[in-house]
Amino acid sequence: QALGYAFPPVETRYDERDTAIYALGVGAAEDATDDAGLQLVYEKHSSGYKVLPTFGVIPVVNSILAQAAQKGGLAPGLTFGLDRLLHGEQKTEVLRPLPGHATLTHRSTLTDIWDKGKGAVIVIETDTEDEDGHLLVRNRFKAFIRGVGGWGGDRGPAASEDNAPPDRAPDATIRQVISQNQALL
């Protein structure tokens, strides 16, 4: 009943304050004299304001969780509590740079459900468009749901080596010490 479910489109809004707080929260502009870092947190930067591409995940995940909490279930037939949901994997494809502020429309579809025995894995794919209909971001969200498996369904793909690190030295290494108050942002 839930497989292939197309969620109602959801509209979200954000502005430069939201994206700057996000950027600060993930460690941008640690050095207040770094011009590139300041472009991520100061909307009147002389070289222009930039939004971290990873911000494209935030409105989508928040909208999916809000829908699930509001309706008492994620999709028809999936009425588990959100306390059972474990975010398993996220793939984000940024197709256009995110503007400093926008009204976005998210169109989500539940594309897969796999029976993992004691739980299930659900896959939700979301296309995010700006107010002009331009596709900005495509997200693929996988979540493990505890305690809802065992119905004898397809187990889905086995774990793979897709995320195995290459057999060579890293291209670059950055050492960053996170300030103790970072989580408060």
Side-chain angles (χ1 to χ4, degrees), residues 80-86 118-120 144-149:
F80 54 85
L82 292 180
D83 59 329
R84 293 176 177 245
L85 185 145
L86 174 66
K118 292 184 179 183
F144 183 79
I145 315 300
R146 297 180 299 112
V148 298

mmCIF file of all heavy atoms in Angstrom, residues 80-86 118-120 144-149:
data_model
loop_
_atom_site.group_PDB
_atom_site.id
_atom_site.type_symbol
_atom_site.label_atom_id
_atom_site.label_comp_id
_atom_site.label_asym_id
_atom_site.label_seq_id
_atom_site.Cartn_x
_atom_site.Cartn_y
_atom_site.Cartn_z
ATOM 1 N N PHE A 80 4.250 3.570 11.976
ATOM 2 C CA PHE A 80 5.179 3.413 13.084
ATOM 3 C C PHE A 80 5.476 4.778 13.702
ATOM 4 O O PHE A 80 5.354 5.814 13.059
ATOM 5 C CB PHE A 80 6.480 2.778 12.589
ATOM 6 C CG PHE A 80 7.105 3.530 11.441
ATOM 7 C CD1 PHE A 80 7.938 4.610 11.677
ATOM 8 C CD2 PHE A 80 6.843 3.164 10.134
ATOM 9 C CE1 PHE A 80 8.498 5.317 10.637
ATOM 10 C CE2 PHE A 80 7.400 3.865 9.079
ATOM 11 C CZ PHE A 80 8.230 4.944 9.337
ATOM 12 N N GLY A 81 5.886 4.773 14.958
ATOM 13 C CA GLY A 81 6.308 6.008 15.603
ATOM 14 C C GLY A 81 7.678 6.428 15.114
ATOM 15 O O GLY A 81 8.518 5.589 14.758
ATOM 16 N N LEU A 82 7.919 7.718 15.108
ATOM 17 C CA LEU A 82 9.201 8.223 14.629
ATOM 18 C C LEU A 82 10.365 7.793 15.524
ATOM 19 O O LEU A 82 11.511 7.830 15.102
ATOM 20 C CB LEU A 82 9.170 9.746 14.513
ATOM 21 C CG LEU A 82 8.254 10.293 13.415
ATOM 22 C CD1 LEU A 82 8.305 11.804 13.388
ATOM 23 C CD2 LEU A 82 8.621 9.718 12.062
ATOM 24 N N ASP A 83 10.059 7.334 16.740
ATOM 25 C CA ASP A 83 11.107 6.833 17.626
ATOM 26 C C ASP A 83 11.713 5.529 17.101
ATOM 27 O O ASP A 83 12.752 5.091 17.578
ATOM 28 C CB ASP A 83 10.581 6.639 19.046
ATOM 29 C CG ASP A 83 9.411 5.671 19.105
ATOM 30 O OD1 ASP A 83 8.636 5.576 18.133
ATOM 31 O OD2 ASP A 83 9.262 5.010 20.153
ATOM 32 N N ARG A 84 11.101 4.927 16.110
ATOM 33 C CA ARG A 84 11.619 3.681 15.510
ATOM 34 C C ARG A 84 12.493 3.946 14.289
ATOM 35 O O ARG A 84 13.098 3.043 13.746
ATOM 36 C CB ARG A 84 10.464 2.776 15.086
ATOM 37 C CG ARG A 84 9.671 2.256 16.252
ATOM 38 C CD ARG A 84 8.491 1.445 15.724
ATOM 39 N NE ARG A 84 7.759 0.885 16.815
ATOM 40 C CZ ARG A 84 7.660 -0.415 17.038
ATOM 41 N NH1 ARG A 84 8.232 -1.280 16.227
ATOM 42 N NH2 ARG A 84 6.976 -0.858 18.059
ATOM 43 N N LEU A 85 12.534 5.179 13.831
ATOM 44 C CA LEU A 85 13.215 5.527 12.597
ATOM 45 C C LEU A 85 14.681 5.860 12.859
ATOM 46 O O LEU A 85 15.006 6.661 13.724
ATOM 47 C CB LEU A 85 12.517 6.738 11.964
ATOM 48 C CG LEU A 85 13.013 7.173 10.598
ATOM 49 C CD1 LEU A 85 11.841 7.681 9.779
ATOM 50 C CD2 LEU A 85 14.067 8.248 10.700
ATOM 51 N N LEU A 86 15.555 5.237 12.096
ATOM 52 C CA LEU A 86 16.986 5.510 12.145
ATOM 53 C C LEU A 86 17.423 5.928 10.740
ATOM 54 O O LEU A 86 17.270 5.166 9.787
ATOM 55 C CB LEU A 86 17.759 4.262 12.580
ATOM 56 C CG LEU A 86 19.281 4.367 12.529
ATOM 57 C CD1 LEU A 86 19.781 5.391 13.536
ATOM 58 C CD2 LEU A 86 19.908 3.009 12.789
ATOM 59 N N LYS A 118 13.984 -8.118 11.400
ATOM 60 C CA LYS A 118 13.513 -7.422 12.594
ATOM 61 C C LYS A 118 13.129 -5.978 12.312
ATOM 62 O O LYS A 118 12.624 -5.279 13.182
ATOM 63 C CB LYS A 118 14.584 -7.449 13.685
ATOM 64 C CG LYS A 118 14.826 -8.833 14.240
ATOM 65 C CD LYS A 118 15.815 -8.792 15.372
ATOM 66 C CE LYS A 118 16.018 -10.179 15.934
ATOM 67 N NZ LYS A 118 16.920 -10.172 17.085
ATOM 68 N N GLY A 119 13.364 -5.530 11.116
ATOM 69 C CA GLY A 119 13.041 -4.159 10.735
ATOM 70 C C GLY A 119 12.818 -4.073 9.242
ATOM 71 O O GLY A 119 12.759 -5.088 8.543
ATOM 72 N N ALA A 120 12.685 -2.873 8.772
ATOM 73 C CA ALA A 120 12.501 -2.632 7.341
ATOM 74 C C ALA A 120 13.340 -1.422 6.946
ATOM 75 O O ALA A 120 13.655 -0.569 7.779
ATOM 76 C CB ALA A 120 11.033 -2.377 7.024
ATOM 77 N N PHE A 144 16.079 3.035 8.331
ATOM 78 C CA PHE A 144 15.800 1.725 8.920
ATOM 79 C C PHE A 144 14.713 1.931 9.963
ATOM 80 O O PHE A 144 14.811 2.815 10.803
ATOM 81 C CB PHE A 144 17.064 1.150 9.573
ATOM 82 C CG PHE A 144 16.852 -0.226 10.144
ATOM 83 C CD1 PHE A 144 16.853 -1.342 9.326
ATOM 84 C CD2 PHE A 144 16.629 -0.394 11.503
ATOM 85 C CE1 PHE A 144 16.642 -2.612 9.849
ATOM 86 C CE2 PHE A 144 16.427 -1.652 12.037
ATOM 87 C CZ PHE A 144 16.434 -2.767 11.204
ATOM 88 N N ILE A 145 13.663 1.111 9.884
ATOM 89 C CA ILE A 145 12.553 1.211 10.821
ATOM 90 C C ILE A 145 12.570 -0.032 11.700
ATOM 91 O O ILE A 145 12.347 -1.144 11.209
ATOM 92 C CB ILE A 145 11.188 1.329 10.095
ATOM 93 C CG1 ILE A 145 11.263 2.344 8.943
ATOM 94 C CG2 ILE A 145 10.099 1.647 11.092
ATOM 95 C CD1 ILE A 145 11.632 3.733 9.309
ATOM 96 N N ARG A 146 12.847 0.164 12.974
ATOM 97 C CA ARG A 146 12.939 -0.962 13.906
ATOM 98 C C ARG A 146 11.566 -1.579 14.147
ATOM 99 O O ARG A 146 10.565 -0.886 14.272
ATOM 100 C CB ARG A 146 13.495 -0.488 15.267
ATOM 101 C CG ARG A 146 14.887 0.044 15.212
ATOM 102 C CD ARG A 146 15.402 0.515 16.580
ATOM 103 N NE ARG A 146 14.601 1.591 17.137
ATOM 104 C CZ ARG A 146 13.839 1.471 18.224
ATOM 105 N NH1 ARG A 146 13.771 0.347 18.886
ATOM 106 N NH2 ARG A 146 13.144 2.508 18.663
ATOM 107 N N GLY A 147 11.541 -2.919 14.202
ATOM 108 C CA GLY A 147 10.360 -3.646 14.643
ATOM 109 C C GLY A 147 9.224 -3.784 13.656
ATOM 110 O O GLY A 147 8.130 -4.192 14.040
ATOM 111 N N VAL A 148 9.430 -3.470 12.399
ATOM 112 C CA VAL A 148 8.321 -3.570 11.441
ATOM 113 C C VAL A 148 8.599 -4.539 10.296
ATOM 114 O O VAL A 148 7.862 -4.560 9.325
ATOM 115 C CB VAL A 148 7.928 -2.183 10.867
ATOM 116 C CG1 VAL A 148 7.451 -1.254 11.955
ATOM 117 C CG2 VAL A 148 9.071 -1.551 10.096
ATOM 118 N N GLY A 149 9.634 -5.352 10.412
ATOM 119 C CA GLY A 149 9.948 -6.309 9.358
ATOM 120 C C GLY A 149 9.324 -7.662 9.627
ATOM 121 O O GLY A 149 8.466 -7.828 10.482
#
